[in-house]
């Protein structure tokens, strides 16, 4: 059995004051939720915050049930890469998770499948869990290319990581569902998750049974229950709804 995993992605949002309030509310109001078990396993909760807020969030979250994560990482270990941040730096700042290949990185920063795989490898080398995002655009969805696209994106990662894929988290985020209020039907999302797991299984059945596959895209407390009840949907990668402590806790609660 896989643990319920709920990861927030704040994207480029927040301020020192707002973050402090959000995190303090989350920890004081969420004690019971954050300590819940699901399928007899402790739930996993994390928040991926913008780089400048990592020290603040690390300070407030250390020794709590909420793990810290970043939203991107360089594929290089160090050197002349102005503006980039290495996996070791993130690990030093307390990150357990790092998102790689988010569609906003693919779209606005031209990140391709090979680069995304290299970033996942860099994260693993620094003992962090990469959350590897895959997902089709609206056009690809309409053209019926969803499975072709997500399989291609996942295969690039399997090819580079090989056995290390067992230590990753995959997130299926249909681009057309991100920030739009549109969500696939639970059965539609389940089908994609199932296909991704079957693809992992053709490489390594043990890894496929272990890897958490999260759903992301307009996930809210009021639509999470049905999606998270699907057998191959192991949790959520949550954008907008992770900025509000009460909404985020309600969403976690919906999955339990
Ligand atoms: P929303 O939940 O705001 O749609 O964002 C999803 C997402 O991109 C999480 O990574």
């Amino acid at each position: 059995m896989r643990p319920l995993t709920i990861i927030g992605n704040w994207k480029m949002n927040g301020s020192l004051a707002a973050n402090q309030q959000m995190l303090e509310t989350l920890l004081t109001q969420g004690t019971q939720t954050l300590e819940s078990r699901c399928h007899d396993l402790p739930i996993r909760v994390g928040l991926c915050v913008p780089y400048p807020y990592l020290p603040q969030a690390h300070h407030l979250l250390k020794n709590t049930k909420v793990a810290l994560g970043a939203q991107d990482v360089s594929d290089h270990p160090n050197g002349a890469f102005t503006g980039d941040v290495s996996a070791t730096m993130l690990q030093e700042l307390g990150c357990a998770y790092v998102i790689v290949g988010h569609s906003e990185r693919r779209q606005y920063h031209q990140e391709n499948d090979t680069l995304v795989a290299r970033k996942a490898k860099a994260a693993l080398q620094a003992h962090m869990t990469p959350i590897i995002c895959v997902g089709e655009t609206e056009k690809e969805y309409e053209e019926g290319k969803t499975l072709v696209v997500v399989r291609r994106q996942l295969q690039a990662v399997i090819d580079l990581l090989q056995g290390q894929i067992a230590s990753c988290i995959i997130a299926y985020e249909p681009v057309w569902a991100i920030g739009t209020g549109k969500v696939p039907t639970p059965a539609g999302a389940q089908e994609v998750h199932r296909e991704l797991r079957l693809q992992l299984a053709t490489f390594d059945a043990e890894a496929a049974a272990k890897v958490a596959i999260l759903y992301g895209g307009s996930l809210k407390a009021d639509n999470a229950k049905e999606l998270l009840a699907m057998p191959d949907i192991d949790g959520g990668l949550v954008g907008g709804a992770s900025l509000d402590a009460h909404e985020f806790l309600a969403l976690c609660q919906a999955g339990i």
Side-chain angles (χ1 to χ4, degrees), residues 29 71 76 94 142 151 160 166 170 193 207 210 223 246:
Q29 308 284 304
Q71 300 171 12
H76 297 286
E142 279 165 2
R151 282 185 185 130
L160 187 72
I170 309 296
H193 283 238
K210 197 178 141 208
N223 62 18
H246 293 108

Side-chain angles (χ1 to χ4, degrees), residues 74-86 89 118:
S74 172
D75 59 321
H76 297 286
N78 57 268
F81 301 100
T82 303
D84 285 353
V85 175
S86 78
M89 293 172 189
R118 287 208 307 268

